[in-house]
Amino acid sequence: MAKVFIYPATSLILSDMVERWGHSPLGAAVAVREHIQTPGLDSPPLQMTPDDPKRGLKYAAVEVPSGVRGRMSLFGPLIEEADAAIIVNDADLAFGCMGCARTNELVKYLIRKRGIPILDLVYPACDEDGVAFVAAIKAFLSDLPGGVP
Amino acid sequence: MSQPVRVAQLSCGPEHSGVQKEIYDAAAAVNAEMFFPDVTLNDIRESYGAFGLEARSADLRLAIARAKALVEGRVDADAVFIATCFRCAEAAIVRNELRRYIHENSDLPVVSYSFTERTTSGTLLTRMEALTTIARRRALLAREVQEGLTMGVDSGSSTTKAIVMQDNEIIGFGWVPTTNVLGSAEEVITTALEEAGVKRTDLEATGTTGYGRFLIGNKIGADLIQEELTVNSKGAVFLADRQHGEATVIDIGGMDNKAISVQDGIPGTFTMGGICAGASGRFLEMTAKRLGVDITELGPLAMKGLSAEVPMNSYCIVFGTQSLVNALAAGSSAEDVAAAACHSVAEQVFEQQLQEIDIKEPVIMVGGTSLIEGLVHEMGKLLQTKIVVPPHSQYIGSVGSALLASGFIRGDIGEGA
């Protein structure tokens, strides 16, 4: 079983596909769950505090907006932990949305820099592309160690 | 307690910056309630296309859709708070355009703010208070005439001022540099009452504003404890006799600056703050000290100099002071240095704050720094207009406070006061 980072990290469809073909998805749900389940914090809605953008300094310098660094504090550790990644470019908002374009650029760059197996796709624009899109994801996940054929 | 003011939040990044709670706390402190206007995915796609600004960040697209929903009346709100990350260029463009769009197409009071992870509820409180006051107390803010015998106290970061007014006339003044907040207030109150020839018990209503407003207001049992954005707007248009129509009020303070776009004496959009003390009156105090002149002499001195002769950038007060020292060491005249310091402060305010509001004439400068002739001159040059400095402009907060406090004599204070 491989740990697969998904982009957009909020995509429930991608998360479900990764699980379905035998792997563990690394996405926003994992990072946010950790925050909201940490006892003693009271910082709704995500339970993020000003310490999180400071943790994000590991991935982006202080002149980078705090929102980018805060997001990187969530996604950066997941990228480091990942064995593989699926990137879906130009996804529809309904498919998954990361909110900040600058974070998106940095997240995708850091994934590509890792040198792990990556499936880089464009979001399908028609049914035919959609079928090929799912098939490509299935093939990629099945080929990863521990993947379901 | 009255119904909370419903403030619509259009934002990108506060949750991930860990400051959303600070926004909630600031709103709760002034009995306001933040909410995110509901929009559908289709709304986002359509609104984003119709608005025409090609933002790449999805949260900014969402903010655009929410703004359109507010303007088109699909969502009800009392006021709008726009917040995006400091140093994000894309967000700054969207923030400014949304503020302008809402201001031009609705009656909703709106304030925009760029935050960092260091933003606290205390930083946001004055802005939130002003926003909710405009929404909640329109009846009070519509007051144009001071009635009865009232007093206003303005506890600023540099100076404390008091004014006693009777039947629309100022009859007593008090002014001291702020040291001990309560002690300074007591001193100016005593002076103003003595000059007015009245006793404290004769006062029919009192108001406080400025940083020390809560402490002093609670101590003297003020009827009105109000932030300086709305109070200064009233004071400015009252003293400048521009109570009707559009105006822009600029107050360069000792610690922060206010730039307020006013319609009939009520703030429409405003900004408050400043990146650095280099854009505040504090830099001019330092300049006067370094030149060995009293702050009251700096303005006339600057009028005799040429700002272009000395390169000075007070974006940061440390570097600004360095430029000042270097210029003097290189043989520049005190007059030119004074003029350059005034130009630098005016330029910082112009670049950092005046771009965030719509400048409408007349432009009224108020507060202690409006007495520095050189600063007013430089600001006029930058804005290419003749700046109005009303009489007693340094007492603007006290006058606004005394004027608004008179609304409490008969009780026309508006909902939620």
Side-chain angles (χ1 to χ4, degrees), chain B residues 330-342:
Chain B
S332 294
S333 70
E335 288 85 354
D336 287 349
V337 168
C342 289

Side-chain angles (χ1 to χ4, degrees), chain B residues 193-271:
Chain B
L193 289 171
E194 273 175 13
E195 188 179 351
V198 296
K199 294 196 291 286
R200 198 172 294 205
T201 48
D202 297 333
L203 294 170
E204 294 173 89
T206 54
T208 60
T209 189
Y211 285 98
R213 63 187 179 277
F214 292 109
L215 187 65
I216 298 166
N218 291 330
K219 173 79 175 171
I220 68 173
D223 301 277
L224 175 76
I225 300 174
Q226 193 66 58
E227 41 62 44
E228 49 271 35
L229 287 157
T230 48
V231 169
N232 287 10
S233 298
K234 284 312 287 184
V237 297
F238 174 80
L239 288 177
D241 197 17
R242 306 292 175 105
Q243 304 230 37
H244 299 124
E246 298 171 332
T248 304
V249 178
I250 300 174
D251 181 359
I252 301 176
M255 203 159 86
D256 57 37
N257 309 319
K258 294 121 205 150
I260 312 160
S261 179
V262 174
Q263 177 70 41
D264 297 330
I266 299 177
T269 57
F270 53 84
T271 68

